[in-house]
Amino acid sequence: MNYMKTSEIRESYLSFFESKGHLRMKSFSLVPKNDKSLLLINAGMAPLKPYFTGVEEPPRRRVTTCQKCIRTGDIENVGKTSRHGTFFEMLGNFSFGDYFKNEVIPWAWEYITEVLKLPKDKLFVTIYLDDDEAYDIWTSKTDIKPSQIFRLGKEDNFWEHGSGPCGPCTEIHYNKAGVKVNNVDEFVIASDNDEIIEFWNLVFTQFDGDGEGNYERLANPNIDTGMGLERMATIMQNVDNIFEIDIVRNILDGICKIVGKEYGKNDKDDVSLRIITDHVKSVSMMLCDGIQPSNEGRGYVLRRLLRRAARHGRVLGMKDEFLYKVVDLVVESYKEGYPELVEKADYIRKMITIEEKKFNETIDTGMDILKDYMDKAVSEGKTILDGKDAFKLYDTYGFPLELTEEIVEEKGLKVDMEQFNKAMQEQRERARGAREKTSYMGADEVPMNKVDASLSTVFDGYDKTELTSIVTVMATDEDFTKTLTAGQSGYVFTEVTPFYAEMGGQVGDTGMIITDNCKAKVTNCKKNVGGKITHFVTVTEGTLNEGESVKLIVDEKRRKDICKNHTATHMVQEALREVLGEHVHQSGSYVDENGMRFDFTHFSALTEEEIKRVEEIVNSNIMDVYNVETKVMNIEEAKKTGAMALFDDKYSDDVRVVCVGDYSKELCGGTHVKNSGEIGLFKIISESGVAAGVRRIEALTGFGAMNFVNSKEKELKSISSSLRCADGDIVKKIEQQLNELKMKDKEILELKNKIASGSENDILNNIKEVEGIKVLAARVDDVDGNALRDLCDKLRNKIGSGVVVLGGAAHGKVSFVSMATKDILSKGIHCGKIIKDVAAITGGGGGGRPDMAQAGGKDIAKLDEAVSKVDEIVKKLIK
Ligand code: ATP
Ligand code: MG
C-alpha cells in the first residue's frame, strides 16, 4: 500500500462509489433539519433519515457522501485514544431500498484491497452472532480467510436505537500493530489496546424492531455504511493516531508554536495539545454552520468544547486568549473540502475571541468562589468539598471538574464525587425532559408525518392567492381520515395549493378551504417532516371529503402585509452591509403580517446615527420604486451574480433568486411584493443584542409603520398637554422641571437636617446610666449620613462623658453611627464592637474605631429593636 493524502482518500472513496452508480452529495450541515432526536449530526446517515424512513424521495437510490460529524459522547476519549475526535469526517455509501449485503460486502472488500491496497492478512471482520448470511457472503464472495472473521454480540454488531429500523452490522478492522490473533478474545483485547483499529462499519438495516426484542423483516432493506476518514488516513500514512495525519498534524504543529511546546516530549502536554487541536476544529466547524455559543443545546456543546480547549491552554501555561490564532490553521487544512470556512474565517476568529475572553473572566470569579468554598470547608474541619459546590462551579462558571479537583487537592481536600454525579444526573434529566420525545429516526409518530413519500403537493402561490385543486389526503391527530366534519380539526393535503408553508423565517398563510357545502378555516400551513405542504384546518360548516375538488383561498390582506415585511428584510440586509460593512450576514429572521425581525452578525450595538442611515437607505429604495423580480437559476450561476445565501442552508441545484432592482439579490423561496414601492414606509422600532456577535433589528412596514409613528405622535400630544406646553417645547419644559425638582430635593434635605439638629434636646431625654456610664441611644429617621454623624458628634459633646448610638432609616436604607468620649474607653467601651452587634440585628454589618464607628443595616422593621438593645450590648462590654 502507498501513502495517500487525506484529501486523496476522500476523493478516491467518493469516486469509487460513483463508479458503482452512487450520486455524490455534499456534506450536510452539522445542524440537523427537522430532527428533534439529535443535537448535532453524528454520522453520515443522520441527515439522510427521511430517505431511509421513506417520508422523502431520495434524489437517487444510491448515494455517497463525506459527512462532517460531531460526537460529544467521545469527548473523554479525545487525546487519550488514538482514534477518537469530537469532530471527524465520515465517508459513507447508502442504499435506500436498492442494493443489499450481496453487493456491499464485495464492494467494501474491493475498495480496501484493490483501491487502497491494504494487505489482506492485516484485515479482520466482525459480524453479528446470528448473521450467517453475512458470513456466507464474506467467505464466498471475497477472499478473506475465515480465521479473520469473528462473531460478536448485539453490543458490538447490531445497530439499534429504541424502536424502528435496525439490523446487524459488519465492521472492518486493521491490525496496525501487527499483533498475533488466534481467537476472538485476543482480537477484543488487541482492539481495546488500540493495536487493532476499527475503521468501517457496514450496517444492514433489515428489521423493524418494536424496542422489546421483536423484529419484523423489512420488505426493502437499506444499507448504511460509515468509514472514519481520519482513521483510514492513520492507516494509509502509517502514523500513530488521528492527530498525526497530514491535515491535522499541521494544526497540532501550529499550536505547539503558539504555546511554545514541543510535541512528543511529555505525555501530559501531548494530551492537552491533542485536545486543543480537536476542540478548535469542532468549534470552528460549528460556528461555520451558524451555531452560536449559549447555555443550552448545541450552543452549550460549542461553549463546553471551547472552554475545555482554553482550560488546556492554561494547563500548558497560556494566560491570554490564543485559540483564535488556531482558526487560520484549521481553515488552511480544511478549506479544500469546506470552502465556506475561508469566507467565515474572520467571523469565527472574532466569536472565539469573545468567548475565550468571557471564560478568562469567569475563571477568575470562579477561583474566588472556590476559595470561599475551601475556606469554609477547612474552617469546619472537613476534608471533603461539597459535590454540589463543585457542580455549581462546573455548571455556572465553566469550571471543568478536573480543574476543581486539582485546586482543592492542594488544600488537602477531595471533591464528593457521589454528590457531584448526582447533581450532574439531575441536570441531565432536566435537559432530557426539555427535549421533545421522538423516535431516533426523527419522525414524530403522528399521521401527518407518515404521508407517503410519493404524494405530490405543489405550491403555486407566488402570483396568486386562490385556486381550485383536489384533496388527496386528510388526517387528524390520531389517524388518517376520509372526512372532516363541522367542528373537527385536522390536516389537509391537496395536489396544488396557493398557501405558503412556513419556511425561511416567513410564517405560513392562513385563509379558507371551501366547497359548495363546506367551509373550513386554514389556521396555519407548514411542511411535514417529508416536506409535504400541510394545511392545518378547522371545519366550520358541512363536511370536507377526500378526493373532492375544493377552492383554496389565502387571506390576501395578510399575505400582502407579510410580503411587504419579507421584501423589507432583504432590503435591510443590503442597507446594513452598506452602513456597517460586508461582515454583516443574516443569522436568522422572522416575518409575519405584523412586522419583521432580522438577526445579523455584527460586533457592537448600532449607534443612533447608524440606525437612522439604515432606515433612510431602505426608505429611499422604497421610493425609488424598484421592480422585484424572481429568477430560477443554477446555484453556481446564482453565486456568480453575487446573490446572498444563508449560512447553513442547503440548496438544491436550481435556486430561486429574488432581486429588488439591481440593488439586492438573495436566494429565497419566500413571497414578495412586486415593487418596492408597495412597502410604503419602513421604520426600525428596536435594535438589541441577541448573543455575542449577533444583533437584532425589529421593524415595521406599510400601515404598521404608519400606525407606530401615529401612536408616538399621540403620546407626544398627551405629554405636551399634561405639561401645558407646545409640542416643540417638551424637551425644554422637562429639563426645566427636572432642575426644579433637584432644587426642591436639596431644600427638603436641608430642612430635615435642620429639624434633626433642632431635636437634640428631645433626644437627650433618652440618656440612661449603665454601670455608671451615660448611654444615649435613639432613632432619627430621614437624615442623610453626614447629618447623622454631625448630630452624633454634637450629642457626644453635650453629654460630656459617655457613649452615643444613633440609628436611622433614610431612602429605604438603615444606617448607624456611634461615638464615645475618650475617658470611658479604658472601661471597655468600643464603638466598633457596639455598632457591629447593633447593626447585625437589622441584618447589616460594619465597624470602626473604639471612639467612632459606622454601619449599615437592611431590615427597617428591626430598627427599633436594635436601638432598644444598645444598653444591653454596652453592658456586656464594660469591664
Ligand atoms: P468506536 O467503537 O471506535 O468508538 P464506533 O463503533 O462508535 O467506534 P461507528 O458508530 O460504527 O463507530 O462509526 C463508523 C465509523 O466512524 C467508525 O468505524 C470510525 O471509523 C468512525 N468514527 C466513529 N467515531 C469516531 C470518532 N470519535 N472519531 C473519529 N472517527 C470515528
Ligand atoms: Mg462501530
Side-chain angles (χ1 to χ4, degrees):
M1 91 189 166
N2 291 324
Y3 179 98
M4 273 174 98
K5 289 201 263 182
T6 303
S7 56
E8 287 167 352
I9 301 170
R10 195 194 282 128
E11 179 54 38
S12 94
Y13 183 100
L14 295 171
S15 51
F16 176 81
F17 281 100
E18 273 180 331
S19 79
K20 306 287 183 201
H22 290 64
L23 171 71
R24 183 198 293 221
M25 289 177 82
K26 274 206 244 158
S27 174
F28 290 78
S29 164
L30 285 168
V31 182
K33 292 253 145 80
N34 283 328
D35 184 351
K36 293 172 200 143
S37 73
L38 260 193
L39 269 187
L40 290 154
I41 294 298
N42 60 359
M45 68 75 70
L48 306 172
K49 285 180 194 172
Y51 302 150
F52 281 116
T53 52
V55 291
E56 210 174 313
E57 259 332 315
R60 201 184 289 174
R61 303 237 152 241
R62 300 178 180 189
V63 162
T64 181
T65 61
C66 177
Q67 176 65 46
K68 321 177 240 197
C69 298
I70 297 250
R71 285 194 182 179
T72 44
D74 285 339
I75 195 165
E76 294 302 332
N77 287 330
V78 173
K80 297 185 183 139
T81 70
S82 67
R83 62 183 205 281
H84 289 102
T86 56
F87 174 84
F88 64 98
E89 292 176 80
M90 197 187 282
L91 293 160
N93 54 289
F94 309 94
S95 155
F96 311 113
D98 190 53
Y99 63 83
F100 201 50
K101 287 181 201 175
N102 258 320
E103 291 80 11
V104 75
I105 290 176
W107 284 344
W109 190 250
E110 180 187 341
Y111 178 65
I112 55 178
T113 60
E114 286 172 36
V115 180
L116 300 182
K117 299 196 166 46
L118 298 184
K120 291 176 187 172
D121 58 334
K122 286 201 166 182
L123 291 164
F124 289 103
V125 158
T126 57
I127 58 171
Y128 177 55
L129 276 179
D130 294 347
D131 197 359
D132 293 332
E133 206 175 32
Y135 184 84
D136 291 343
I137 298 172
W138 275 115
T139 48
S140 68
K141 297 206 166 179
T142 79
D143 56 359
I144 191 167
K145 289 201 199 105
S147 61
Q148 284 164 245
I149 303 176
F150 296 116
R151 292 181 187 247
L152 291 175
K154 256 196 173 168
E155 177 105 346
D156 293 294
N157 282 71
F158 199 91
W159 190 90
E160 189 172 27
H161 276 276
S163 59
C166 58
C169 61
T170 189
E171 291 186 331
I172 312 178
H173 308 251
Y174 186 73
N175 189 348
K176 274 203 83 191
V179 288
K180 278 240 163 332
V181 174
N182 298 308
N183 54 46
V184 66
D185 295 332
E186 286 176 9
F187 168 80
V188 170
I189 291 167
S191 297
D192 287 345
N193 290 342
D194 265 6
E195 291 163 333
I196 294 179
I197 166 170
E198 172 208 327
F199 62 86
W200 202 354
N201 189 356
L202 316 176
V203 182
F204 314 127
T205 324
Q206 61 192 50
F207 298 119
D208 189 11
D210 64 359
E212 283 164 18
N214 304 309
Y215 302 102
E216 211 173 294
R217 194 127 185 156
L218 289 171
N220 295 311
N222 300 314
I223 290 290
D224 143 32
T225 88
M227 176 196 283
L229 174 61
E230 291 82 352
R231 288 195 193 176
M232 184 43 78
T234 60
I235 297 170
M236 300 309 292
Q237 299 177 8
N238 193 25
V239 291
D240 280 348
N241 62 58
I242 59 169
F243 298 91
E244 294 173 17
I245 65 171
D246 52 357
I247 54 173
V248 188
R249 181 71 200 231
N250 283 342
I251 304 173
L252 183 75
D253 286 343
I255 294 173
C256 285
K257 279 207 194 103
I258 295 169
V259 303
K261 292 272 176 192
E262 207 175 320
Y263 184 65
K265 287 273 174 245
N266 169 317
D267 285 348
K268 213 174 142 236
D269 286 356
D270 287 353
V271 171
S272 290
L273 287 165
R274 290 194 286 257
I275 287 176
I276 297 170
T277 306
D278 171 75
H279 289 7
V280 179
K281 258 192 326 176
S282 296
V283 165
S284 303
M285 290 294 183
M286 290 170 85
L287 283 165
C288 189
D289 276 350
I291 302 169
Q292 280 148 8
S294 80
N295 275 332
E296 54 184 29
R298 285 183 271 282
Y300 188 55
V301 172
L302 197 167
R303 179 164 280 170
R304 264 175 48 205
L305 289 169
L306 195 142
R307 293 191 165 183
R308 198 153 179 267
R311 132 97 176 123
H312 279 276
R314 289 199 163 217
V315 169
L316 294 175
M318 297 299 285
K319 285 256 151 12
D320 296 328
E321 290 84 49
F322 74 101
L323 295 176
Y324 68 95
K325 295 184 192 157
V326 183
V327 174
D328 289 342
L329 302 165
V330 175
V331 174
E332 197 47 44
S333 278
Y334 283 90
K335 67 181 182 195
E336 194 183 327
Y338 307 96
E340 59 274 19
L341 275 171
V342 179
E343 221 176 287
K344 308 281 149 55
D346 198 33
Y347 165 77
I348 296 170
R349 224 179 288 122
K350 276 191 176 152
M351 291 299 278
I352 289 184
T353 314
I354 292 175
E355 268 298 299
E356 217 185 338
K357 265 209 180 103
K358 225 191 248 171
F359 180 58
N360 278 344
E361 280 159 23
T362 52
I363 209 165
D364 293 333
T365 323
M367 288 298 258
D368 289 345
I369 292 173
L370 180 54
K371 272 203 196 95
D372 285 349
Y373 287 158
M374 289 193 298
D375 289 348
K376 196 169 142 242
V378 170
S379 75
E380 288 169 4
K382 288 185 182 153
T383 56
I384 303 280
L385 186 84
D386 196 325
K388 274 191 235 123
D389 289 345
F391 182 75
K392 187 163 177 219
L393 281 168
Y394 164 85
D395 198 38
T396 317
Y397 297 95
F399 255 53
L401 177 65
E402 64 273 27
L403 179 65
T404 309
E405 283 184 314
E406 221 171 86
I407 299 166
V408 301
E409 215 175 59
E410 287 162 17
K411 294 244 171 182
L413 294 170
K414 271 206 163 86
V415 176
D416 182 339
M417 281 310 295
E418 203 173 305
Q419 266 186 355
F420 179 89
N421 287 332
K422 202 172 143 229
M424 175 79 99
Q425 192 55 31
E426 279 166 12
Q427 158 98 338
R428 286 217 181 105
E429 264 149 34
R430 277 196 298 277
R432 199 168 306 139
R435 210 179 301 158
E436 287 177 60
K437 287 193 181 65
T438 46
S439 70
Y440 181 74
M441 291 305 283
D444 300 284
E445 299 302 324
V446 293
M448 72 169 251
N449 283 329
K450 290 186 181 164
V451 174
D452 202 77
S454 63
L455 183 82
S456 136
T457 57
V458 177
F459 174 64
D460 181 17
Y462 284 123
D463 301 304
K464 48 177 101 100
T465 51
E466 216 180 295
L467 56 79
T468 304
S469 185
I470 306 284
V471 174
T472 48
V473 176
M474 293 198 290
T476 63
D477 282 328
E478 286 75 38
D479 214 341
F480 289 106
T481 176
K482 301 263 179 233
T483 59
L484 283 173
T485 55
Q488 254 189 315
S489 295
Y491 309 93
V492 174
F493 298 81
T494 58
E495 279 177 0
V496 187
T497 178
F499 281 80
Y500 182 82
E502 178 185 304
M503 202 179 32
Q506 178 177 334
V507 291
D509 278 328
T510 60
M512 301 287 291
I513 292 180
I514 55 174
T515 66
D516 287 343
N517 55 30
C518 171
K519 273 194 183 143
K521 249 209 225 141
V522 179
T523 54
N524 201 352
C525 184
K526 289 188 185 192
K527 288 193 172 172
N528 75 358
V529 294
K532 314 288 175 214
I533 302 174
T534 315
H535 305 90
F536 291 47
V537 305
T538 302
V539 178
T540 51
E541 268 177 59
T543 301
L544 197 60
N545 300 301
E546 189 188 282
E548 205 167 28
S549 169
V550 293
K551 206 172 204 177
L552 297 122
I553 308 165
V554 173
D555 178 340
E556 198 180 340
K557 155 99 180 45
R558 180 171 175 272
R559 160 75 83 80
K560 274 194 171 153
D561 287 339
I562 294 170
C563 288
K564 286 177 190 163
N565 288 322
H566 198 156
T567 309
T569 61
H570 289 211
M571 294 170 74
V572 82
Q573 163 148 259
E574 273 313 319
L576 284 165
R577 287 168 70 87
E578 198 176 322
V579 173
L580 304 174
E582 300 281 300
H583 62 279
V584 169
H585 279 278
Q586 171 170 345
S587 75
S589 73
Y590 177 80
V591 171
D592 66 13
E593 69 274 32
N594 300 314
M596 54 154 281
R597 194 171 76 205
F598 185 73
D599 296 348
F600 58 100
T601 48
H602 183 59
F603 293 89
S604 54
L606 269 66
T607 62
E608 238 170 81
E609 187 56 34
E610 285 165 341
I611 294 175
K612 231 177 77 193
R613 272 181 57 210
V614 170
E615 223 172 62
E616 265 167 25
I617 294 171
V618 174
N619 278 311
S620 93
N621 286 317
I622 289 171
M623 291 173 212
D624 281 343
V625 287
Y626 285 122
N627 277 328
V628 179
E629 276 163 8
T630 53
K631 296 173 196 144
V632 175
M633 52 177 101
N634 179 274
I635 174 94
E636 294 309 322
E637 200 186 322
K639 278 191 181 155
K640 267 186 222 133
T641 69
M644 300 280 304
L646 272 188
F647 261 17
D648 60 339
D649 260 19
K650 188 96 199 146
Y651 295 102
S652 49
D653 289 345
D654 282 331
V655 293
R656 192 165 173 270
V657 179
V658 176
C659 309
V660 184
D662 279 339
Y663 171 65
S664 140
K665 276 198 198 78
E666 205 174 305
L667 267 59
C668 178
T671 64
H672 289 272
V673 296
K674 297 275 167 286
N675 186 293
S676 67
E678 289 172 43
I679 298 171
L681 179 65
F682 172 80
K683 180 82 201 139
I684 294 175
I685 57 168
S686 82
E687 192 274 344
S688 58
V690 211
V694 183
R695 310 293 308 174
R696 168 172 295 174
I697 272 184
E698 287 175 283
L700 304 172
T701 62
F703 279 107
M706 200 166 115
N707 292 339
F708 175 81
V709 175
N710 282 344
S711 79
K712 292 281 158 201
E713 196 182 7
K714 205 170 143 198
E715 241 173 77
L716 266 189
K717 283 238 167 354
S718 84
I719 294 173
S720 61
S721 95
S722 303
L723 289 173
R724 291 182 225 295
C725 70
D727 288 3
D729 292 338
I730 289 180
V731 178
K732 214 171 81 196
K733 185 89 182 185
I734 287 181
E735 270 167 8
Q736 227 174 47
Q737 298 213 337
L738 283 176
N739 263 335
E740 260 172 50
L741 268 182
K742 233 193 241 161
M743 303 280 290
K744 289 201 164 137
D745 277 347
K746 212 171 142 205
E747 230 170 88
I748 289 171
L749 197 68
E750 279 167 13
L751 285 171
K752 276 192 179 153
N753 291 347
K754 258 187 211 154
I755 294 169
S757 58
S759 58
E760 271 165 49
N761 291 330
D762 294 343
I763 296 174
L764 283 169
N765 291 336
N766 293 321
I767 296 183
K768 283 186 190 154
E769 290 259 340
V770 178
E771 312 267 339
I773 290 177
K774 278 192 216 158
V775 178
L776 174 53
R779 172 170 175 168
V780 187
D781 286 343
D782 291 327
V783 176
D784 70 358
N786 284 332
L788 199 65
R789 252 196 328 273
D790 287 350
L791 179 61
C792 193
D793 194 34
K794 276 189 197 152
L795 291 167
R796 173 171 60 177
N797 289 339
K798 282 231 165 119
I799 59 174
S801 167
V803 54
V804 185
V805 178
L806 298 180
H811 311 299
K813 276 193 238 148
V814 175
S815 38
F816 295 99
V817 186
S818 170
M819 292 182 190
T821 53
K822 293 246 157 55
D823 58 312
I824 56 167
L825 299 185
S826 60
K827 297 187 181 160
I829 297 298
H830 189 297
C831 293
K833 290 179 185 165
I834 297 171
I835 208 94
K836 186 165 172 247
D837 289 352
V838 175
I841 296 171
T842 66
R849 304 196 311 246
D851 62 332
M852 143 84 191
Q854 264 173 284
K858 288 194 186 120
D859 191 355
I860 297 178
K862 290 258 171 76
L863 186 52
D864 282 332
E865 185 190 334
V867 172
S868 73
K869 291 255 167 81
V870 169
D871 299 354
E872 253 174 64
I873 291 166
V874 171
K875 194 167 177 182
K876 267 193 255 157
L877 283 178
I878 295 171
K879 284 176 190 155

mmCIF file of all heavy atoms in Angstrom, residues 325-337:
data_model
loop_
_atom_site.group_PDB
_atom_site.id
_atom_site.type_symbol
_atom_site.label_atom_id
_atom_site.label_comp_id
_atom_site.label_asym_id
_atom_site.label_seq_id
_atom_site.Cartn_x
_atom_site.Cartn_y
_atom_site.Cartn_z
ATOM 1 N N LYS A 325 -6.082 32.194 17.335
ATOM 2 C CA LYS A 325 -4.946 32.080 16.412
ATOM 3 C C LYS A 325 -4.928 30.725 15.708
ATOM 4 O O LYS A 325 -4.275 30.555 14.692
ATOM 5 C CB LYS A 325 -3.632 32.239 17.180
ATOM 6 C CG LYS A 325 -3.435 33.602 17.796
ATOM 7 C CD LYS A 325 -2.061 33.684 18.438
ATOM 8 C CE LYS A 325 -1.943 34.925 19.318
ATOM 9 N NZ LYS A 325 -0.906 34.772 20.329
ATOM 10 N N VAL A 326 -5.620 29.752 16.315
ATOM 11 C CA VAL A 326 -5.611 28.411 15.740
ATOM 12 C C VAL A 326 -6.559 28.324 14.525
ATOM 13 O O VAL A 326 -6.415 27.452 13.677
ATOM 14 C CB VAL A 326 -6.015 27.382 16.828
ATOM 15 C CG1 VAL A 326 -5.951 25.962 16.289
ATOM 16 C CG2 VAL A 326 -5.111 27.526 18.052
ATOM 17 N N VAL A 327 -7.519 29.260 14.480
ATOM 18 C CA VAL A 327 -8.535 29.204 13.424
ATOM 19 C C VAL A 327 -7.911 29.169 12.027
ATOM 20 O O VAL A 327 -8.308 28.376 11.177
ATOM 21 C CB VAL A 327 -9.509 30.401 13.547
ATOM 22 C CG1 VAL A 327 -10.478 30.430 12.378
ATOM 23 C CG2 VAL A 327 -10.255 30.317 14.878
ATOM 24 N N ASP A 328 -6.896 30.008 11.804
ATOM 25 C CA ASP A 328 -6.272 30.045 10.470
ATOM 26 C C ASP A 328 -5.705 28.688 10.084
ATOM 27 O O ASP A 328 -5.736 28.297 8.919
ATOM 28 C CB ASP A 328 -5.170 31.097 10.436
ATOM 29 C CG ASP A 328 -5.756 32.495 10.476
ATOM 30 O OD1 ASP A 328 -6.973 32.617 10.186
ATOM 31 O OD2 ASP A 328 -5.035 33.449 10.805
ATOM 32 N N LEU A 329 -5.186 27.980 11.081
ATOM 33 C CA LEU A 329 -4.623 26.657 10.794
ATOM 34 C C LEU A 329 -5.729 25.689 10.379
ATOM 35 O O LEU A 329 -5.565 24.883 9.468
ATOM 36 C CB LEU A 329 -3.918 26.107 12.045
ATOM 37 C CG LEU A 329 -2.788 26.981 12.622
ATOM 38 C CD1 LEU A 329 -2.432 26.539 14.037
ATOM 39 C CD2 LEU A 329 -1.564 26.894 11.721
ATOM 40 N N VAL A 330 -6.866 25.779 11.067
ATOM 41 C CA VAL A 330 -7.996 24.917 10.733
ATOM 42 C C VAL A 330 -8.483 25.231 9.314
ATOM 43 O O VAL A 330 -8.708 24.330 8.505
ATOM 44 C CB VAL A 330 -9.156 25.095 11.748
ATOM 45 C CG1 VAL A 330 -10.374 24.292 11.332
ATOM 46 C CG2 VAL A 330 -8.705 24.685 13.154
ATOM 47 N N VAL A 331 -8.621 26.517 9.033
ATOM 48 C CA VAL A 331 -9.107 26.926 7.711
ATOM 49 C C VAL A 331 -8.166 26.401 6.627
ATOM 50 O O VAL A 331 -8.601 25.829 5.627
ATOM 51 C CB VAL A 331 -9.218 28.467 7.624
ATOM 52 C CG1 VAL A 331 -9.567 28.903 6.212
ATOM 53 C CG2 VAL A 331 -10.271 28.966 8.609
ATOM 54 N N GLU A 332 -6.877 26.549 6.848
ATOM 55 C CA GLU A 332 -5.888 26.115 5.878
ATOM 56 C C GLU A 332 -6.037 24.613 5.594
ATOM 57 O O GLU A 332 -6.027 24.164 4.455
ATOM 58 C CB GLU A 332 -4.492 26.425 6.451
ATOM 59 C CG GLU A 332 -3.362 26.411 5.449
ATOM 60 C CD GLU A 332 -3.669 27.183 4.176
ATOM 61 O OE1 GLU A 332 -4.220 28.292 4.268
ATOM 62 O OE2 GLU A 332 -3.370 26.648 3.083
ATOM 63 N N SER A 333 -6.229 23.831 6.660
ATOM 64 C CA SER A 333 -6.296 22.377 6.493
ATOM 65 C C SER A 333 -7.599 21.901 5.858
ATOM 66 O O SER A 333 -7.632 20.877 5.202
ATOM 67 C CB SER A 333 -6.151 21.686 7.848
ATOM 68 O OG SER A 333 -4.800 21.585 8.195
ATOM 69 N N TYR A 334 -8.663 22.633 6.105
ATOM 70 C CA TYR A 334 -9.976 22.121 5.696
ATOM 71 C C TYR A 334 -10.632 22.893 4.564
ATOM 72 O O TYR A 334 -11.744 22.579 4.160
ATOM 73 C CB TYR A 334 -10.919 22.063 6.914
ATOM 74 C CG TYR A 334 -10.612 20.884 7.793
ATOM 75 C CD1 TYR A 334 -9.696 20.979 8.836
ATOM 76 C CD2 TYR A 334 -11.218 19.652 7.560
ATOM 77 C CE1 TYR A 334 -9.389 19.884 9.628
ATOM 78 C CE2 TYR A 334 -10.918 18.555 8.342
ATOM 79 C CZ TYR A 334 -10.008 18.671 9.374
ATOM 80 O OH TYR A 334 -9.712 17.589 10.139
ATOM 81 N N LYS A 335 -9.965 23.942 4.056
ATOM 82 C CA LYS A 335 -10.645 24.795 3.069
ATOM 83 C C LYS A 335 -10.954 24.046 1.773
ATOM 84 O O LYS A 335 -11.908 24.382 1.088
ATOM 85 C CB LYS A 335 -9.849 26.064 2.801
ATOM 86 C CG LYS A 335 -8.532 25.853 2.119
ATOM 87 C CD LYS A 335 -7.817 27.185 1.927
ATOM 88 C CE LYS A 335 -6.500 26.938 1.196
ATOM 89 N NZ LYS A 335 -5.598 28.063 1.271
ATOM 90 N N GLU A 336 -10.164 23.025 1.472
ATOM 91 C CA GLU A 336 -10.399 22.309 0.239
ATOM 92 C C GLU A 336 -11.769 21.615 0.274
ATOM 93 O O GLU A 336 -12.570 21.759 -0.640
ATOM 94 C CB GLU A 336 -9.280 21.294 0.025
ATOM 95 C CG GLU A 336 -9.259 20.749 -1.388
ATOM 96 C CD GLU A 336 -8.183 19.688 -1.551
ATOM 97 O OE1 GLU A 336 -7.127 19.786 -0.900
ATOM 98 O OE2 GLU A 336 -8.435 18.735 -2.316
ATOM 99 N N GLY A 337 -12.027 20.906 1.366
ATOM 100 C CA GLY A 337 -13.309 20.215 1.486
ATOM 101 C C GLY A 337 -14.445 21.165 1.838
ATOM 102 O O GLY A 337 -15.603 20.911 1.499
#
